[in-house]
Amino acid sequence: NEVYWIVNGDSNNLASYQTDDNNNGGQHIANYITGDSNTVKHTQRGSGDHDGFIAIDGDSNDVELSQRGNSDEQYADIVVDGDGHTVDVYQRYADHTANIDITNGGGAYTLDLEQTASSDKTYSLTGICTNGSGCSVSVTQN
């Protein structure tokens, strides 16, 4: 199990949680944050591989990544650029992958990605929100 936090900014709130690794080769969390007032909660549970990563460059972002299950692999790579994004990813069983890259180009994203099936689900999203009212994306794969 490994956890890295490199935080540069004020009033950031990070919480990491990892539990058992009965397969002895999993769990990894890395949070790189530059900016102020960001909230990140990153939870990984169950045995087997989990990775993570979250890199935020901006202020007032709220990201929660939760990976759980007792199957091997589950990977997520979230990059948030800009201010005011809300990203919530939940992966449950099997070989899930998620790559997300979100940028505030005048508006913030609200993203909810849920992959809960016991078979391989892969998702990648890259976006620039230019809508001043914000952009919303919701994806569910079961």
Side-chain angles (χ1 to χ4, degrees), residues 19 25 32 37 52 64 76 79 88-91 102 117 121 123 133-134:
T19 187
Y32 315 109
S37 302
E64 180 172 334
V79 176
D88 182 36
V89 177
Y90 174 73
Q91 298 178 310
I102 292 180
K121 301 289 183 190
Y123 205 86
S133 299

Side-chain angles (χ1 to χ4, degrees), residues 77-95:
D77 179 31
I78 299 172
V79 176
V80 176
D81 184 34
D83 303 332
H85 299 293
T86 301
V87 178
D88 182 36
V89 177
Y90 174 73
Q91 298 178 310
R92 187 160 175 92
Y93 298 117
D95 304 287

Side-chain angles (χ1 to χ4, degrees), residues 42-119:
H42 193 148
T43 304
Q44 297 178 305
R45 298 183 47 139
S47 58
D49 298 336
H50 297 80
D51 280 312
F53 321 127
I54 293 173
I56 295 175
D57 187 16
D59 301 327
S60 302
N61 295 291
D62 185 8
V63 179
E64 180 172 334
L65 170 64
S66 176
Q67 298 177 325
R68 59 182 290 143
N70 294 320
S71 299
D72 287 348
E73 300 181 51
Q74 286 190 18
Y75 164 85
D77 179 31
I78 299 172
V79 176
V80 176
D81 184 34
D83 303 332
H85 299 293
T86 301
V87 178
D88 182 36
V89 177
Y90 174 73
Q91 298 178 310
R92 187 160 175 92
Y93 298 117
D95 304 287
H96 297 301
T97 302
N99 297 314
I100 298 170
D101 183 348
I102 292 180
T103 301
N104 186 328
Y109 271 98
T110 300
L111 173 75
D112 183 26
L113 172 64
E114 190 171 308
Q115 302 186 115
T116 60
S118 59
S119 62

